[in-house]
Amino acid sequence: MDWDKLRVFHAVAEAGSFTHAGENLNLSQSAVSRQISALEESVKVPLFHRHARGLILTEQGELLYRTAHDVFAKLSMAEARIRESKERPSGPLKVTTTVAFGSTWLTPRINEFLERYPEIELSLVLNDEELDLAMREADVAIRMQPPRQADLVQRQLMTLRYHVFASPEYIKQHGMPKTPEDLKDHRLIIYGADARPPVSNVNWMMATAQQFKPDMRPILKLNNIYGIFRATESGLGISALPDYLLPTNSNLVRILPELEGPSFDAYFVYPEELRHSKRIAVFRDFLIEEISKVKAKAAAAASASATTEK
């Protein structure tokens, strides 16, 4: 079937007359009429009922119109996406995540993202309360739990795990625990009752120590994971922290490597209506790239450590 004739047929079916279709296509009425007659001749059925007030589609014309309409709609969508893909992403992008993740993992990487995409106007909202994406309080969220709101697109970014950490100053003053049982003789920083961690058994390190000393008490309780991180850096005590909290400039030392805590997933979340946003797509790809770098660095460090032990 001739593509030009199909285009003219679709325009006539939309306009309801040869005259209006010709105006939309910048063709004469006679040229439009000839194209339709040629199309009807090629398919060997009439496509329009002609009468004084205009044109009405026949049953076969209705069938062809629905098919042509779907084809042109898909072509229009594809054209828009191709056009968007050629354009540099620009405009506002509001991202929300937790205070701890945003302060220690995300913010140090933002400079590189903005150097790549200077036309994007990025805003970060660090808040341990979940913002309402459906109400456009933010465009994108990085969350440590699956979203509870409906009509949100979610992508699992990475799996994170808790480990045990202490500062060099603490180890120098109080010694290095060699076994999980040694924790009973150390100062432990734990989560308070009103904390909202991503896992239920967040005080698993304290539970481990209490297996050997049931009346063990922590040196400090905090309801905020970033506060625990800072208290540990200060040398106050030992804590269990998710591994994303260890930025490149942190002096914390992982201790008791055989002792691993619970794991949880981080999610990249945004509203369904922003599924085709170029700004969101490049930000998501940037995060995935950065996570791959972290994984590669960790694998290289583990390999080097294994080689040294041999």
mmCIF file of all heavy atoms in Angstrom, residues 109-149:
data_model
loop_
_atom_site.group_PDB
_atom_site.id
_atom_site.type_symbol
_atom_site.label_atom_id
_atom_site.label_comp_id
_atom_site.label_asym_id
_atom_site.label_seq_id
_atom_site.Cartn_x
_atom_site.Cartn_y
_atom_site.Cartn_z
ATOM 1 N N ARG A 109 29.387 12.831 44.852
ATOM 2 C CA ARG A 109 29.422 12.440 43.443
ATOM 3 C C ARG A 109 28.674 13.417 42.533
ATOM 4 O O ARG A 109 28.712 13.263 41.302
ATOM 5 C CB ARG A 109 28.821 11.033 43.294
ATOM 6 C CG ARG A 109 29.665 9.948 43.940
ATOM 7 C CD ARG A 109 28.950 8.608 43.969
ATOM 8 N NE ARG A 109 29.876 7.524 44.274
ATOM 9 C CZ ARG A 109 30.256 7.181 45.492
ATOM 10 N NH1 ARG A 109 29.776 7.835 46.545
ATOM 11 N NH2 ARG A 109 31.101 6.191 45.679
ATOM 12 N N ILE A 110 27.984 14.378 43.101
ATOM 13 C CA ILE A 110 27.136 15.268 42.319
ATOM 14 C C ILE A 110 27.948 16.164 41.385
ATOM 15 O O ILE A 110 27.502 16.502 40.281
ATOM 16 C CB ILE A 110 26.256 16.130 43.260
ATOM 17 C CG1 ILE A 110 25.182 15.246 43.898
ATOM 18 C CG2 ILE A 110 25.621 17.282 42.517
ATOM 19 C CD1 ILE A 110 24.263 14.557 42.897
ATOM 20 N N ASN A 111 29.144 16.551 41.790
ATOM 21 C CA ASN A 111 29.955 17.432 40.956
ATOM 22 C C ASN A 111 30.186 16.825 39.573
ATOM 23 O O ASN A 111 30.046 17.505 38.549
ATOM 24 C CB ASN A 111 31.291 17.721 41.637
ATOM 25 C CG ASN A 111 32.138 18.687 40.823
ATOM 26 O OD1 ASN A 111 31.649 19.719 40.394
ATOM 27 N ND2 ASN A 111 33.397 18.346 40.589
ATOM 28 N N GLU A 112 30.508 15.535 39.535
ATOM 29 C CA GLU A 112 30.759 14.873 38.253
ATOM 30 C C GLU A 112 29.495 14.838 37.397
ATOM 31 O O GLU A 112 29.542 15.042 36.184
ATOM 32 C CB GLU A 112 31.274 13.450 38.482
ATOM 33 C CG GLU A 112 31.618 12.727 37.186
ATOM 34 C CD GLU A 112 32.223 11.355 37.428
ATOM 35 O OE1 GLU A 112 32.622 11.066 38.570
ATOM 36 O OE2 GLU A 112 32.281 10.568 36.459
ATOM 37 N N PHE A 113 28.352 14.589 38.024
ATOM 38 C CA PHE A 113 27.096 14.554 37.283
ATOM 39 C C PHE A 113 26.799 15.912 36.645
ATOM 40 O O PHE A 113 26.432 16.003 35.466
ATOM 41 C CB PHE A 113 25.947 14.148 38.207
ATOM 42 C CG PHE A 113 24.590 14.201 37.548
ATOM 43 C CD1 PHE A 113 24.202 13.237 36.637
ATOM 44 C CD2 PHE A 113 23.718 15.241 37.841
ATOM 45 C CE1 PHE A 113 22.957 13.297 36.015
ATOM 46 C CE2 PHE A 113 22.468 15.312 37.225
ATOM 47 C CZ PHE A 113 22.096 14.329 36.316
ATOM 48 N N LEU A 114 26.971 16.995 37.415
ATOM 49 C CA LEU A 114 26.666 18.323 36.905
ATOM 50 C C LEU A 114 27.685 18.793 35.869
ATOM 51 O O LEU A 114 27.357 19.626 35.016
ATOM 52 C CB LEU A 114 26.565 19.318 38.055
ATOM 53 C CG LEU A 114 25.364 19.105 38.980
ATOM 54 C CD1 LEU A 114 25.377 20.101 40.122
ATOM 55 C CD2 LEU A 114 24.056 19.205 38.203
ATOM 56 N N GLU A 115 28.894 18.286 35.935
ATOM 57 C CA GLU A 115 29.868 18.604 34.885
ATOM 58 C C GLU A 115 29.448 17.972 33.555
ATOM 59 O O GLU A 115 29.678 18.540 32.488
ATOM 60 C CB GLU A 115 31.261 18.120 35.293
ATOM 61 C CG GLU A 115 31.919 19.004 36.343
ATOM 62 C CD GLU A 115 33.338 18.578 36.642
ATOM 63 O OE1 GLU A 115 33.747 17.492 36.157
ATOM 64 O OE2 GLU A 115 34.047 19.302 37.358
ATOM 65 N N ARG A 116 28.848 16.789 33.624
ATOM 66 C CA ARG A 116 28.363 16.137 32.398
ATOM 67 C C ARG A 116 27.111 16.810 31.865
ATOM 68 O O ARG A 116 26.917 16.912 30.660
ATOM 69 C CB ARG A 116 28.040 14.668 32.677
ATOM 70 C CG ARG A 116 29.211 13.788 32.960
ATOM 71 C CD ARG A 116 28.744 12.344 32.965
ATOM 72 N NE ARG A 116 29.672 11.466 33.641
ATOM 73 C CZ ARG A 116 29.478 10.164 33.821
ATOM 74 N NH1 ARG A 116 28.368 9.619 33.369
ATOM 75 N NH2 ARG A 116 30.365 9.428 34.446
ATOM 76 N N TYR A 117 26.229 17.212 32.774
ATOM 77 C CA TYR A 117 24.922 17.760 32.369
ATOM 78 C C TYR A 117 24.699 19.130 33.022
ATOM 79 O O TYR A 117 23.862 19.285 33.908
ATOM 80 C CB TYR A 117 23.805 16.794 32.758
ATOM 81 C CG TYR A 117 24.001 15.399 32.223
ATOM 82 C CD1 TYR A 117 24.424 14.366 33.065
ATOM 83 C CD2 TYR A 117 23.787 15.110 30.882
ATOM 84 C CE1 TYR A 117 24.621 13.089 32.570
ATOM 85 C CE2 TYR A 117 23.983 13.837 30.381
ATOM 86 C CZ TYR A 117 24.402 12.838 31.226
ATOM 87 O OH TYR A 117 24.591 11.572 30.736
ATOM 88 N N PRO A 118 25.422 20.132 32.582
ATOM 89 C CA PRO A 118 25.320 21.452 33.221
ATOM 90 C C PRO A 118 23.969 22.131 33.006
ATOM 91 O O PRO A 118 23.639 23.064 33.742
ATOM 92 C CB PRO A 118 26.446 22.247 32.551
ATOM 93 C CG PRO A 118 26.688 21.548 31.249
ATOM 94 C CD PRO A 118 26.436 20.101 31.518
ATOM 95 N N GLU A 119 23.196 21.675 32.018
ATOM 96 C CA GLU A 119 21.887 22.296 31.773
ATOM 97 C C GLU A 119 20.824 21.809 32.749
ATOM 98 O O GLU A 119 19.724 22.361 32.811
ATOM 99 C CB GLU A 119 21.420 22.004 30.337
ATOM 100 C CG GLU A 119 22.323 22.602 29.252
ATOM 101 C CD GLU A 119 23.442 21.653 28.857
ATOM 102 O OE1 GLU A 119 23.547 20.580 29.495
ATOM 103 O OE2 GLU A 119 24.197 21.981 27.923
ATOM 104 N N ILE A 120 21.118 20.744 33.527
ATOM 105 C CA ILE A 120 20.161 20.250 34.515
ATOM 106 C C ILE A 120 20.283 21.071 35.795
ATOM 107 O O ILE A 120 21.385 21.271 36.315
ATOM 108 C CB ILE A 120 20.382 18.756 34.806
ATOM 109 C CG1 ILE A 120 19.994 17.921 33.579
ATOM 110 C CG2 ILE A 120 19.576 18.296 36.021
ATOM 111 C CD1 ILE A 120 20.163 16.426 33.765
ATOM 112 N N GLU A 121 19.147 21.546 36.293
ATOM 113 C CA GLU A 121 19.105 22.330 37.536
ATOM 114 C C GLU A 121 18.743 21.379 38.678
ATOM 115 O O GLU A 121 17.571 21.119 38.942
ATOM 116 C CB GLU A 121 18.062 23.440 37.407
ATOM 117 C CG GLU A 121 18.315 24.376 36.227
ATOM 118 C CD GLU A 121 17.087 25.170 35.859
ATOM 119 O OE1 GLU A 121 16.184 25.313 36.719
ATOM 120 O OE2 GLU A 121 17.006 25.638 34.705
ATOM 121 N N LEU A 122 19.750 20.852 39.345
ATOM 122 C CA LEU A 122 19.555 19.797 40.341
ATOM 123 C C LEU A 122 19.277 20.370 41.726
ATOM 124 O O LEU A 122 19.941 21.300 42.170
ATOM 125 C CB LEU A 122 20.789 18.900 40.392
ATOM 126 C CG LEU A 122 20.699 17.666 41.283
ATOM 127 C CD1 LEU A 122 19.648 16.687 40.765
ATOM 128 C CD2 LEU A 122 22.061 16.974 41.370
ATOM 129 N N SER A 123 18.282 19.786 42.387
ATOM 130 C CA SER A 123 18.001 20.106 43.786
ATOM 131 C C SER A 123 17.998 18.806 44.581
ATOM 132 O O SER A 123 17.376 17.823 44.157
ATOM 133 C CB SER A 123 16.633 20.786 43.939
ATOM 134 O OG SER A 123 16.580 21.988 43.220
ATOM 135 N N LEU A 124 18.690 18.783 45.722
ATOM 136 C CA LEU A 124 18.692 17.620 46.602
ATOM 137 C C LEU A 124 17.911 17.947 47.868
ATOM 138 O O LEU A 124 18.144 18.990 48.491
ATOM 139 C CB LEU A 124 20.122 17.213 46.975
ATOM 140 C CG LEU A 124 21.021 16.678 45.864
ATOM 141 C CD1 LEU A 124 22.368 16.256 46.446
ATOM 142 C CD2 LEU A 124 20.376 15.514 45.141
ATOM 143 N N VAL A 125 16.997 17.070 48.227
ATOM 144 C CA VAL A 125 16.231 17.213 49.464
ATOM 145 C C VAL A 125 16.563 16.018 50.347
ATOM 146 O O VAL A 125 16.150 14.887 50.055
ATOM 147 C CB VAL A 125 14.713 17.262 49.189
ATOM 148 C CG1 VAL A 125 13.949 17.451 50.494
ATOM 149 C CG2 VAL A 125 14.380 18.382 48.211
ATOM 150 N N LEU A 126 17.333 16.254 51.406
ATOM 151 C CA LEU A 126 17.741 15.172 52.306
ATOM 152 C C LEU A 126 16.770 15.139 53.478
ATOM 153 O O LEU A 126 16.703 16.075 54.274
ATOM 154 C CB LEU A 126 19.179 15.394 52.786
ATOM 155 C CG LEU A 126 20.220 15.585 51.669
ATOM 156 C CD1 LEU A 126 21.622 15.647 52.259
ATOM 157 C CD2 LEU A 126 20.122 14.492 50.616
ATOM 158 N N ASN A 127 16.034 14.050 53.571
ATOM 159 C CA ASN A 127 14.966 13.960 54.558
ATOM 160 C C ASN A 127 14.712 12.487 54.854
ATOM 161 O O ASN A 127 14.534 11.689 53.931
ATOM 162 C CB ASN A 127 13.693 14.616 54.006
ATOM 163 C CG ASN A 127 12.673 14.885 55.089
ATOM 164 O OD1 ASN A 127 12.565 14.149 56.069
ATOM 165 N ND2 ASN A 127 11.894 15.936 54.911
ATOM 166 N N ASP A 128 14.694 12.118 56.128
ATOM 167 C CA ASP A 128 14.421 10.732 56.486
ATOM 168 C C ASP A 128 12.935 10.398 56.407
ATOM 169 O O ASP A 128 12.548 9.231 56.519
ATOM 170 C CB ASP A 128 14.960 10.426 57.888
ATOM 171 C CG ASP A 128 16.487 10.409 57.911
ATOM 172 O OD1 ASP A 128 17.089 10.135 56.854
ATOM 173 O OD2 ASP A 128 17.080 10.689 58.966
ATOM 174 N N GLU A 129 12.091 11.418 56.228
ATOM 175 C CA GLU A 129 10.672 11.199 55.957
ATOM 176 C C GLU A 129 10.488 11.085 54.444
ATOM 177 O O GLU A 129 11.125 11.809 53.679
ATOM 178 C CB GLU A 129 9.823 12.345 56.501
ATOM 179 C CG GLU A 129 9.918 12.528 58.007
ATOM 180 C CD GLU A 129 9.320 11.369 58.777
ATOM 181 O OE1 GLU A 129 8.334 10.772 58.272
ATOM 182 O OE2 GLU A 129 9.832 11.052 59.868
ATOM 183 N N GLU A 130 9.602 10.209 53.985
ATOM 184 C CA GLU A 130 9.368 10.023 52.565
ATOM 185 C C GLU A 130 8.521 11.166 52.011
ATOM 186 O O GLU A 130 7.422 11.419 52.492
ATOM 187 C CB GLU A 130 8.684 8.682 52.295
ATOM 188 C CG GLU A 130 9.568 7.483 52.547
ATOM 189 C CD GLU A 130 8.938 6.183 52.065
ATOM 190 O OE1 GLU A 130 7.814 6.245 51.510
ATOM 191 O OE2 GLU A 130 9.547 5.128 52.238
ATOM 192 N N LEU A 131 9.029 11.844 50.984
ATOM 193 C CA LEU A 131 8.242 12.867 50.312
ATOM 194 C C LEU A 131 7.238 12.211 49.370
ATOM 195 O O LEU A 131 7.457 11.100 48.883
ATOM 196 C CB LEU A 131 9.157 13.813 49.536
ATOM 197 C CG LEU A 131 10.202 14.591 50.343
ATOM 198 C CD1 LEU A 131 10.847 15.641 49.461
ATOM 199 C CD2 LEU A 131 9.584 15.245 51.572
ATOM 200 N N ASP A 132 6.150 12.915 49.092
ATOM 201 C CA ASP A 132 5.084 12.392 48.240
ATOM 202 C C ASP A 132 5.417 12.694 46.778
ATOM 203 O O ASP A 132 5.247 13.816 46.307
ATOM 204 C CB ASP A 132 3.751 13.030 48.626
ATOM 205 C CG ASP A 132 2.560 12.347 47.960
ATOM 206 O OD1 ASP A 132 2.770 11.653 46.943
ATOM 207 O OD2 ASP A 132 1.439 12.504 48.458
ATOM 208 N N LEU A 133 5.883 11.668 46.061
ATOM 209 C CA LEU A 133 6.248 11.863 44.655
ATOM 210 C C LEU A 133 5.013 12.105 43.795
ATOM 211 O O LEU A 133 5.077 12.830 42.791
ATOM 212 C CB LEU A 133 7.018 10.647 44.132
ATOM 213 C CG LEU A 133 8.333 10.304 44.839
ATOM 214 C CD1 LEU A 133 9.051 9.187 44.104
ATOM 215 C CD2 LEU A 133 9.237 11.528 44.953
ATOM 216 N N ALA A 134 3.894 11.491 44.157
ATOM 217 C CA ALA A 134 2.666 11.676 43.388
ATOM 218 C C ALA A 134 2.210 13.131 43.414
ATOM 219 O O ALA A 134 1.607 13.625 42.456
ATOM 220 C CB ALA A 134 1.569 10.766 43.923
ATOM 221 N N MET A 135 2.508 13.827 44.511
ATOM 222 C CA MET A 135 2.152 15.239 44.637
ATOM 223 C C MET A 135 3.291 16.149 44.169
ATOM 224 O O MET A 135 3.279 17.345 44.398
ATOM 225 C CB MET A 135 1.796 15.561 46.093
ATOM 226 C CG MET A 135 0.560 14.833 46.595
ATOM 227 S SD MET A 135 -0.918 15.208 45.639
ATOM 228 C CE MET A 135 -1.160 16.930 46.074
ATOM 229 N N ARG A 136 4.313 15.546 43.527
ATOM 230 C CA ARG A 136 5.457 16.247 42.957
ATOM 231 C C ARG A 136 6.249 17.032 44.001
ATOM 232 O O ARG A 136 6.800 18.096 43.719
ATOM 233 C CB ARG A 136 5.025 17.178 41.825
ATOM 234 C CG ARG A 136 4.342 16.480 40.670
ATOM 235 C CD ARG A 136 5.179 15.349 40.058
ATOM 236 N NE ARG A 136 6.437 15.838 39.554
ATOM 237 C CZ ARG A 136 6.584 16.314 38.305
ATOM 238 N NH1 ARG A 136 5.554 16.362 37.490
ATOM 239 N NH2 ARG A 136 7.764 16.719 37.892
ATOM 240 N N GLU A 137 6.313 16.477 45.245
ATOM 241 C CA GLU A 137 7.212 17.064 46.233
ATOM 242 C C GLU A 137 8.665 16.829 45.827
ATOM 243 O O GLU A 137 9.567 17.520 46.299
ATOM 244 C CB GLU A 137 6.938 16.477 47.609
ATOM 245 C CG GLU A 137 5.592 16.901 48.176
ATOM 246 C CD GLU A 137 5.336 16.359 49.570
ATOM 247 O OE1 GLU A 137 6.041 15.431 50.008
ATOM 248 O OE2 GLU A 137 4.406 16.857 50.230
ATOM 249 N N ALA A 138 8.881 15.845 44.969
ATOM 250 C CA ALA A 138 10.185 15.583 44.354
ATOM 251 C C ALA A 138 9.935 14.802 43.078
ATOM 252 O O ALA A 138 8.869 14.189 42.894
ATOM 253 C CB ALA A 138 11.101 14.808 45.297
ATOM 254 N N ASP A 139 10.914 14.814 42.165
ATOM 255 C CA ASP A 139 10.792 14.057 40.912
ATOM 256 C C ASP A 139 11.258 12.624 41.084
ATOM 257 O O ASP A 139 10.689 11.695 40.501
ATOM 258 C CB ASP A 139 11.619 14.727 39.811
ATOM 259 C CG ASP A 139 11.179 16.146 39.543
ATOM 260 O OD1 ASP A 139 9.961 16.364 39.414
ATOM 261 O OD2 ASP A 139 12.047 17.047 39.479
ATOM 262 N N VAL A 140 12.314 12.453 41.875
ATOM 263 C CA VAL A 140 12.969 11.156 42.035
ATOM 264 C C VAL A 140 13.282 10.943 43.506
ATOM 265 O O VAL A 140 13.619 11.890 44.218
ATOM 266 C CB VAL A 140 14.290 11.089 41.225
ATOM 267 C CG1 VAL A 140 15.005 9.768 41.446
ATOM 268 C CG2 VAL A 140 14.031 11.289 39.746
ATOM 269 N N ALA A 141 13.196 9.683 43.950
ATOM 270 C CA ALA A 141 13.607 9.340 45.310
ATOM 271 C C ALA A 141 14.563 8.153 45.257
ATOM 272 O O ALA A 141 14.390 7.241 44.448
ATOM 273 C CB ALA A 141 12.393 8.996 46.174
ATOM 274 N N ILE A 142 15.576 8.196 46.120
ATOM 275 C CA ILE A 142 16.426 7.023 46.359
ATOM 276 C C ILE A 142 16.065 6.553 47.753
ATOM 277 O O ILE A 142 16.330 7.249 48.735
ATOM 278 C CB ILE A 142 17.919 7.368 46.252
ATOM 279 C CG1 ILE A 142 18.230 7.954 44.875
ATOM 280 C CG2 ILE A 142 18.776 6.125 46.509
ATOM 281 C CD1 ILE A 142 19.624 8.524 44.758
ATOM 282 N N ARG A 143 15.438 5.394 47.835
ATOM 283 C CA ARG A 143 14.883 4.922 49.103
ATOM 284 C C ARG A 143 15.509 3.607 49.524
ATOM 285 O O ARG A 143 15.879 2.774 48.690
ATOM 286 C CB ARG A 143 13.362 4.782 48.978
ATOM 287 C CG ARG A 143 12.677 6.134 48.803
ATOM 288 C CD ARG A 143 11.185 6.035 48.751
ATOM 289 N NE ARG A 143 10.572 7.365 48.728
ATOM 290 C CZ ARG A 143 9.335 7.605 48.344
ATOM 291 N NH1 ARG A 143 8.551 6.610 47.965
ATOM 292 N NH2 ARG A 143 8.851 8.834 48.355
ATOM 293 N N MET A 144 15.572 3.431 50.837
ATOM 294 C CA MET A 144 16.170 2.231 51.410
ATOM 295 C C MET A 144 15.123 1.165 51.714
ATOM 296 O O MET A 144 15.431 0.152 52.339
ATOM 297 C CB MET A 144 16.924 2.582 52.692
ATOM 298 C CG MET A 144 17.969 3.667 52.509
ATOM 299 S SD MET A 144 19.220 3.240 51.265
ATOM 300 C CE MET A 144 19.368 4.789 50.379
ATOM 301 N N GLN A 145 13.901 1.391 51.267
ATOM 302 C CA GLN A 145 12.806 0.436 51.400
ATOM 303 C C GLN A 145 11.946 0.516 50.163
ATOM 304 O O GLN A 145 11.898 1.564 49.506
ATOM 305 C CB GLN A 145 11.963 0.750 52.646
ATOM 306 C CG GLN A 145 12.701 0.581 53.962
ATOM 307 C CD GLN A 145 11.869 1.058 55.153
ATOM 308 O OE1 GLN A 145 11.059 1.967 55.022
ATOM 309 N NE2 GLN A 145 12.080 0.461 56.311
ATOM 310 N N PRO A 146 11.219 -0.546 49.803
ATOM 311 C CA PRO A 146 10.314 -0.472 48.653
ATOM 312 C C PRO A 146 9.262 0.612 48.877
ATOM 313 O O PRO A 146 8.813 0.821 50.007
ATOM 314 C CB PRO A 146 9.672 -1.868 48.601
ATOM 315 C CG PRO A 146 10.583 -2.748 49.382
ATOM 316 C CD PRO A 146 11.217 -1.888 50.430
ATOM 317 N N PRO A 147 8.885 1.334 47.817
ATOM 318 C CA PRO A 147 7.900 2.403 47.980
ATOM 319 C C PRO A 147 6.527 1.860 48.374
ATOM 320 O O PRO A 147 6.115 0.786 47.934
ATOM 321 C CB PRO A 147 7.857 3.058 46.597
ATOM 322 C CG PRO A 147 8.335 2.009 45.660
ATOM 323 C CD PRO A 147 9.342 1.201 46.429
ATOM 324 N N ARG A 148 5.828 2.626 49.200
ATOM 325 C CA ARG A 148 4.479 2.241 49.621
ATOM 326 C C ARG A 148 3.403 2.900 48.765
ATOM 327 O O ARG A 148 2.265 2.451 48.752
ATOM 328 C CB ARG A 148 4.270 2.630 51.094
ATOM 329 C CG ARG A 148 5.181 1.876 52.060
ATOM 330 C CD ARG A 148 4.783 2.143 53.500
ATOM 331 N NE ARG A 148 5.045 3.527 53.888
ATOM 332 C CZ ARG A 148 6.171 3.926 54.461
ATOM 333 N NH1 ARG A 148 7.137 3.054 54.694
ATOM 334 N NH2 ARG A 148 6.345 5.194 54.806
ATOM 335 N N GLN A 149 3.769 3.951 48.032
ATOM 336 C CA GLN A 149 2.793 4.635 47.195
ATOM 337 C C GLN A 149 2.518 3.842 45.920
ATOM 338 O O GLN A 149 3.394 3.151 45.391
ATOM 339 C CB GLN A 149 3.303 6.023 46.799
ATOM 340 C CG GLN A 149 3.394 7.004 47.944
ATOM 341 C CD GLN A 149 4.019 8.313 47.477
ATOM 342 O OE1 GLN A 149 5.160 8.596 47.773
ATOM 343 N NE2 GLN A 149 3.260 9.097 46.728
#
